[in-house]
Amino acid sequence: MKKLYPLVFMAGVGLVLLSVIGSIVTTLYLSPKLTLKDVTRVIASGTAPNTEEWQLLEAEAQAGNPVAMNNLGVAHWRTAKRGSKAMAREWFERAAEAGDIPARYNPALLLPDRFDTEPEIVERRLSLLQTNVEAGDIPSMVALARSLFFVNRETYVPDRLTVKRTLLERAAATGDADYLVTHGKALWDEVRGGGDIALLPQALRSLETA
């Protein structure tokens, strides 16, 4: 189960933008609001780039505010304007370079993640998520764990199954129902695939707690 963030902007909390890429639902999320008073209206309404709110957000981004850079990237991703997706990726990258956690998470989720994905793309995705994991970002832990599902990820992350279990355990420890289910199902699938039967009680405990 893919973790979905709240679809409304609450005080001090992020906003989620869901975009469908093919048949995959991708979750993008905003950095904290800070002083950008009208960011939510820009994102939620798909406001045109010539509005005062959009211009405020763009000015903050151009001034080097990494939060605004990421949020402007989400705003561009939300619009149907030609070239907006490329512009969104550019702002995500700039915000990521400035150290914004959501801006590293967002482009990571937009990268392909299949068994046969090109090595350089796999490395980029894993690197973005691993940096966030080191910063304690729970959504990135779950996203990284999902990437480690593929057997060939062992090339990039030695002992990937142990790492995957650890990441999902940390997420489940938050008590979030979705994370508990993700953790329980991952352990259950591992046991079904011939893994250690001793993992079964832990799998059932997470599923029952959820």
Side-chain angles (χ1 to χ4, degrees), residues 53-126:
E53 293 82 14
W54 186 292
Q55 290 171 1
L56 169 65
L57 180 57
E58 195 167 48
E60 290 279 350
Q62 293 287 2
N65 183 333
V67 172
M69 291 179 191
N70 177 71
N71 293 353
L72 183 59
V74 177
H76 275 293
W77 192 267
R78 178 70 171 80
T79 67
K81 186 178 178 181
R82 187 173 184 177
S84 60
K85 296 297 186 289
M87 186 65 71
R89 293 176 190 276
E90 179 181 330
W91 280 112
F92 288 151
E93 291 295 338
R94 291 176 64 175
E97 290 174 5
D100 192 66
I101 287 177
R104 285 193 292 263
Y105 177 91
N106 291 340
L109 256 65
L110 296 178
L111 291 172
D113 189 32
R114 304 180 302 270
F115 180 86
D116 60 350
T117 296
E118 293 83 352
E120 61 273 16
I121 295 178
V122 173
E123 290 174 354
R124 174 64 173 159
R125 179 185 173 95
L126 296 181

Side-chain angles (χ1 to χ4, degrees), residues 26 79 81 100 103 105 124 146 167 170 180 207 209:
T26 300
T79 67
K81 186 178 178 181
D100 192 66
Y105 177 91
R124 174 64 173 159
R146 289 200 179 97
L167 292 169
R170 291 177 65 183
L180 284 163
L207 292 171
T209 302

